[in-house]
Amino acid sequence: MALSDDQLDRYARHIILREIGGGGQQKLLRSKVLIVGAGGLGSPLALYLAAAGIGTIGIIDDDVVDLSNLQRQIAHGTADIGTEKVKSAAKAIARLNPDVRVIDHGERLNVANAAAIIGDYDLITDGTDNFETRFLLNDACYFAGKPL
């Protein structure tokens, strides 16, 4: 897959790096990353991964945007209050980079769904805010052989 002219411009800073180059950027565009939690950690992570050109970003969170979130959860804005965080983050990603496909999982990660959800991704990132989910995520990634 050749990079388009727009992609060459968008990712020029990566492409000129010897460690990444055009081939590395194409690999990023083919990669799939899951973000668990769209709050204070997951929100900026989603934007940075989108800006870098990660091809598919999955986001799992069961919460909605609240006014108290806005001072630290930068993917969300005032107009997003009351919106599911996964939908709000997906809109922010789409504004930032149309190359990125977003899969929103508007649910809570739990024992019943963890293996099925993480199985579709190359890399799993932890943006959780509680130890129960963090431990579950660690175990699920360990047993699935997925990098966390």
Side-chain angles (χ1 to χ4, degrees):
M1 143 179 125
L3 296 172
S4 70
D5 288 343
D6 284 346
Q7 289 174 324
L8 289 171
D9 285 344
R10 179 182 295 272
Y11 307 120
R13 298 289 184 174
H14 281 168
I15 294 167
I16 64 172
L17 293 173
R18 192 173 36 250
E19 298 85 359
I20 298 176
Q25 187 61 52
Q26 289 172 332
K27 189 173 182 179
L28 290 174
L29 286 163
R30 289 189 306 268
S31 65
K32 297 159 95 178
V33 175
L34 176 67
I35 301 170
V36 182
L41 297 173
S43 176
L45 180 59
L47 297 178
Y48 278 117
L49 291 175
I54 297 300
T56 301
I57 298 175
I59 305 170
I60 182 166
D61 198 305
D62 69 339
D63 201 4
V64 298
V65 178
D66 183 80
L67 179 62
S68 67
N69 301 145
L70 300 183
Q71 54 88 339
R72 68 191 184 285
Q73 299 180 15
I74 61 173
H76 315 297
T78 302
D80 300 315
I81 293 172
T83 303
E84 293 176 52
K85 287 183 180 179
V86 292
K87 302 255 187 256
S88 173
K91 284 189 322 189
I93 289 169
R95 283 190 306 269
L96 182 63
N97 190 343
D99 289 340
V100 177
R101 174 177 169 239
V102 177
I103 301 172
D104 67 68
H105 303 276
E107 59 190 304
R108 186 169 196 81
L109 189 75
N110 58 52
V111 172
N113 66 15
I117 291 173
I118 69 168
D120 291 336
Y121 296 92
D122 304 313
L123 176 72
I124 316 303
T125 63
D126 182 357
T128 61
D129 61 1
N130 67 81
F131 287 113
E132 180 182 341
T133 306
R134 191 164 279 160
F135 291 143
L136 168 66
L137 182 59
N138 183 69
D139 289 348
C141 288
Y142 175 78
F143 288 114
K146 298 286 182 170
L148 172 62

